[in-house]
Amino acid sequence: MSTLEIRDLHVAVDTDTGDKEILRGVDLVVRADEIHAIMGPNGSGKSTLAYSIAGHPKYRVTRGTVTLDGDDVLAMSVDARARAGLFLAMQYPVEVPGVSVSNFLRTAKTAIDGQPPKLRSWVKDVKAAMDGLNIDPAFAERDLNTGFSGGEKKRHEILQLDLLDPNVAILDETDSGLDIDALRVVADGVNRFHRRGGKGVLLITHYTRILRYISPDFVHVFVDGRIAEEGGPDLAEKLEIEGYVGYVGTSA
Amino acid sequence: MTIITEHSHGPGASHGSSLHRFASFDVDAHDIPRGREEAWRFTPMVRLRNLHVDAPLDGHDYEITVDADPPVQVRNGEASDALRGASGYVPVDRVSARAWAAADKVLALTFPAEAVSERPTVVRMRGLSAEKPAAGHLVVAAQPYSRAVLVVEHEGSAAFVDHVEIVVEDGAQLTVVTLQDWADDAVQLSYHHARVGREASVKHVVVTFGGDLVRTSTSLDYAGPGGEAELLGMYFVDAGQHVENRLFVDHNTPHARSNVEYKGALQGDGAHAVWVGDVLIRPEALGIKTFELNRNLVLTDGARADSVPNLEIETGEIEGAGHASATGRFDDEQLFYLQARGISPEQARRLVVRGFFTSLINRIGVPQLAERLSGAVDRELAISEATEARHR
């Protein structure tokens, strides 16, 4: 049971022309068992929010707080945030040649739990998780994200979500680039994770189509570095019909 | 920052200075190198201990042990040993000519025709002191259709100039791994030459971890058509170390193959890696194929890698020729990805560096060495972690 609380978050990046503020006062609370969808046009800062919470060094928090059950997330190193129970499924998982998926998964699991997983149950767990996401067993011996198709990368992110079992999962455009079958597989994986109980989910997406398979409790419209409107699932339906035109003046 | 250069050469392309080299057994036919010459411009001459000028090469402060199963023939021969010179090598510089003249013993290993040796043959050289420079000479002959693996290990302290002649006769398959795991005060200048027979294949591997200055020059040519050569190298260069690998592949027969892959990691102030890969494709080298690759991973500030591929093509009738060279820093995005899964920065670095070398270690293909090489990478990384911890 965890609560992720974001208060007045301002984030900037260094650019050639000086500081550029991308997040301009974000307030958001994700409680256990809640699914939040953050929707917004390209360039609105959705991904910046995700990476800032995970601690990517490119983003500099200039104001505000992020806490997990009251603990100061912003004071933690990247790896400590993951061990505290935060997980970010990335839009563009990075290739790491020479490191096999199975070695990576075992190393990450050991780091998160503070001890190596029991070998027998671990092998079984990995196999079951891979089955659940229609991942070929041979996948385990491939180099991490290296030469993976877009769909394989996304399924591999959800495989980690399943095995590392965080308290709060942030999914950054996990739906983008997936065909309908892959989208269903990935959505099922997220729903299974959520049904374990006590899990918070923050789903970042440009499109409404993943919301046919994952039902959010709250929908936030993200525009220009802050939340412009909040509502229930009906807000997503409105966006499906009207797009973001009412917020940004174009249909971007 | 990552600098990558990669390109292929079409038939007829040619650039750079001539790779046709002067060679002579006569010491005085070679000038004393001063450090401005193309072949010496990266080498810190002051650390050569006069090996290139007039330092006597008559030291014997080392032990050699050979671990070989029958039917491998091992001979501790005199300087006049029949196998000496069998590779056709002629010294290309003064250091080499001096060592050729000075070596008073020749260690000759013969893998008999059609014999298949399951277990690697191991030659261990343990240097006892770097005070008195020594000259060594090893000849390895793989007779027709033999199959064998030879590992030559160096450790301890030494000032050592040596030749390794490799003769791979028709249809033979030979792997030679030389491992430089010297103590911090060791200086080694090493000259390897391989001659590859008709339809023969050689895998030549240079692994360098320890030593103050280790400069390995590897040249290779072919005694007949259809030979295959894989020239692999792996190095880990620490603060103050100079590791230099110079390669010269002489495509002098038709339908041969050569493939070069050297990979290294560097860390610490003054760590310097040099890789020079010369490939000459002579007019008679019709239908050959060659590729060379050098990759450096710079782990800390203050380390420097020089990488110079050079291809000279004298015939248009080739199948392919190309080279690639890349020197890069740690990829921050890789480290972020791993850390975002709870993995500590130290372990993330370890995974990335081990991963960097994994495909190369697999390619070396000597299972008895794989774990040892990975372990050596881990030990090297432990050095930089300890240094970083002190600075924190």
Side-chain angles (χ1 to χ4, degrees):
Chain A
M1 302 289 277
S2 283
T3 301
L4 176 69
E5 196 166 338
I6 300 159
R7 292 290 176 211
D8 192 30
L9 189 67
H10 290 248
V11 170
V13 290
D14 299 328
T15 68
D16 295 340
T17 52
D19 260 18
K20 183 170 182 246
E21 190 171 51
I22 300 180
L23 297 189
R24 307 193 303 160
V26 179
D27 288 285
L28 181 65
V29 180
V30 179
R31 293 184 181 80
D33 294 314
E34 293 178 351
I35 297 180
H36 292 248
I38 290 193
M39 307 193 58
N42 290 328
S44 59
K46 308 185 297 283
S47 286
T48 298
L49 176 64
Y51 279 85
S52 300
I53 297 168
H56 194 287
K58 180 176 157 196
Y59 301 104
R60 204 157 39 76
V61 174
T62 53
R63 203 196 315 171
T65 58
V66 178
T67 58
L68 185 64
D69 298 325
D71 293 333
D72 183 1
V73 169
L74 299 178
M76 299 178 196
S77 63
V78 174
D79 48 315
R81 294 178 196 205
R83 292 195 296 272
L86 286 172
F87 178 87
L88 169 62
M90 298 194 203
Q91 186 179 1
Y92 302 110
V94 182
E95 302 191 352
V96 188
V99 177
S100 70
V101 167
S102 67
N103 182 18
F104 163 71
L105 291 174
R106 199 175 50 246
T107 304
K109 183 66 175 172
T110 303
I112 297 280
D113 289 0
Q115 58 180 30
K118 298 263 179 296
L119 188 62
R120 276 191 60 175
S121 56
W122 174 246
V123 170
K124 231 172 59 192
D125 290 349
V126 172
K127 192 182 176 310
M130 288 174 73
D131 281 351
L133 292 162
N134 289 348
I135 296 174
D136 187 313
F139 192 84
E141 297 317 314
R142 289 172 62 182
D143 285 2
L144 183 55
N145 294 323
T146 307
F148 288 15
S149 68
E152 284 174 333
K153 281 183 177 169
K154 298 300 172 68
R155 275 184 284 170
H156 179 243
E157 293 294 290
I158 302 307
L159 176 67
Q160 295 170 55
L161 172 71
D162 186 339
L163 291 167
L164 301 181
D165 196 31
N167 297 321
V168 177
I170 303 165
L171 310 173
D172 184 21
E173 311 231 1
T174 298
D175 52 331
S176 67
L178 294 183
D179 65 32
I180 193 70
D181 293 331
L183 183 65
R184 239 185 237 132
V185 166
V186 161
D188 286 351
V190 174
N191 286 327
R192 277 198 302 276
F193 166 75
H194 179 246
R195 279 199 300 273
R196 287 176 190 169
K199 307 295 186 188
V201 174
L202 182 58
L203 188 69
I204 293 172
T205 181
H206 183 82
Y207 303 102
T208 52
R209 95 196 158 114
I210 194 170
L211 303 181
R212 285 179 233 152
Y213 307 100
I214 300 175
S215 312
D217 303 297
F218 304 93
V219 174
H220 313 266
V221 182
F222 211 77
V223 179
D224 203 15
R226 57 163 75 95
I227 291 169
E229 191 176 355
E230 297 177 293
D234 47 322
L235 181 52
E237 281 158 34
K238 183 183 143 200
L239 288 173
E240 168 90 50
I241 298 159
E242 299 176 8
Y244 298 112
V245 63
Y247 301 97
V248 294
T250 69
S251 57
Chain B
M1 188 177 67
T2 302
I3 305 154
I4 296 179
T5 56
E6 179 156 8
H7 54 276
S8 287
H9 294 262
S14 177
H15 70 104
S17 61
S18 173
L19 293 176
H20 298 270
R21 310 195 298 178
F22 174 75
S24 170
F25 289 102
D26 179 6
V27 173
D28 292 326
H30 299 278
D31 290 334
I32 295 173
R34 300 292 176 192
R36 292 183 181 276
E37 302 78 4
E38 178 59 32
W40 295 95
R41 66 186 175 109
F42 294 112
T43 312
M45 306 304 284
V46 291
R47 282 154 67 184
L48 288 183
R49 303 190 195 174
N50 276 327
L51 296 171
H52 60 305
V53 185
D54 55 4
L57 298 173
D58 55 356
H60 289 92
D61 292 340
Y62 57 85
E63 299 165 351
I64 286 186
T65 53
V66 180
D67 179 7
D69 291 336
V72 181
Q73 296 161 15
V74 181
R75 185 171 63 233
N76 269 303
E78 299 303 316
S80 58
D81 194 279
L83 270 178
R84 179 153 136 141
S87 72
Y89 175 77
V90 180
V92 292
D93 62 31
R94 184 179 171 89
V95 186
S96 171
R98 293 189 70 231
W100 191 284
D104 54 1
K105 291 279 178 194
V106 171
L107 178 61
L109 301 178
T110 303
F111 299 103
E114 298 188 357
V116 175
S117 307
E118 298 295 339
R119 210 167 61 93
T121 296
V122 180
V123 175
R124 276 191 196 86
M125 178 192 172
R126 201 175 127 68
L128 303 173
S129 155
E131 290 298 309
K132 292 183 188 153
H137 202 117
L138 170 67
V139 186
V140 187
Q143 292 186 343
Y145 298 96
S146 60
R147 251 169 47 198
V149 175
L150 169 67
V151 179
V152 186
E153 302 178 4
H154 303 85
E155 54 174 33
S157 296
F160 194 48
V161 186
D162 67 317
H163 287 97
V164 177
E165 293 189 81
I166 299 162
V167 183
V168 194
E169 296 190 47
D170 296 356
Q173 294 175 33
L174 177 67
T175 296
V176 175
V177 182
T178 176
L179 197 65
Q180 275 72 242
D181 205 1
W182 295 110
D184 290 345
D185 62 348
V187 171
Q188 183 185 18
L189 298 172
S190 204
Y191 296 83
H192 290 229
H193 182 72
R195 178 157 286 180
V196 185
R198 187 187 191 95
E199 313 288 333
S201 72
V202 66
K203 193 187 280 187
H204 180 269
V205 187
V206 179
V207 180
T208 308
F209 288 116
D212 172 58
L213 188 157
V214 179
R215 186 182 193 270
T216 307
S217 307
T218 301
S219 55
L220 180 139
D221 58 18
Y222 299 87
E228 290 193 15
E230 249 187 312
L231 300 162
L232 310 178
M234 171 175 176
Y235 44 91
F236 210 119
V237 191
D238 293 327
Q241 264 189 306
H242 180 89
V243 172
E244 182 165 346
N245 285 288
R246 307 186 75 93
L247 292 120
F248 175 55
V249 178
D250 188 346
H251 273 287
N252 57 339
T253 64
H255 303 295
R257 299 272 180 278
S258 66
N259 204 308
V260 178
E261 180 178 349
Y262 271 64
K263 276 181 148 182
L266 299 86
Q267 61 184 6
D269 262 353
H272 191 193
V274 177
W275 178 86
V276 178
D278 290 337
V279 176
L280 172 62
I281 302 171
R282 294 183 190 263
E284 57 270 37
L286 304 173
I288 67 103
K289 198 171 173 184
T290 177
F291 193 81
E292 13 170 39
L293 169 74
N294 176 227
R295 283 196 65 201
N296 291 294
L297 186 56
V298 178
L299 305 181
T300 68
D301 290 336
R304 176 178 156 187
D306 287 296
S307 181
V308 186
N310 187 22
L311 194 49
E312 200 167 303
I313 305 175
E314 298 177 341
T315 172
E317 305 295 311
I318 61 170
E319 223 178 272
H323 55 72
S325 164
T327 295
R329 303 290 307 239
F330 259 126
D331 183 341
D332 290 338
E333 295 299 326
Q334 287 181 340
L335 296 180
F336 173 74
Y337 186 81
L338 296 171
Q339 284 169 247
R341 300 305 180 242
I343 298 168
S344 71
E346 294 76 24
Q347 199 170 9
R349 286 161 55 98
R350 228 164 18 232
L351 279 173
V352 169
V353 177
R354 273 190 95 139
F356 175 74
F357 285 116
T358 295
S359 63
L360 182 67
I361 291 173
N362 290 340
R363 204 170 161 192
I364 291 170
V366 181
Q368 292 88 341
L369 275 182
E371 194 48 43
R372 184 165 162 192
L373 296 180
S374 303
V377 170
D378 284 353
R379 274 196 307 283
E380 293 281 354
L381 281 170
I383 295 172
S384 63
E385 281 164 25
T387 312
E388 285 213 348
R390 269 203 306 280
H391 289 182
R392 245 179 246 139

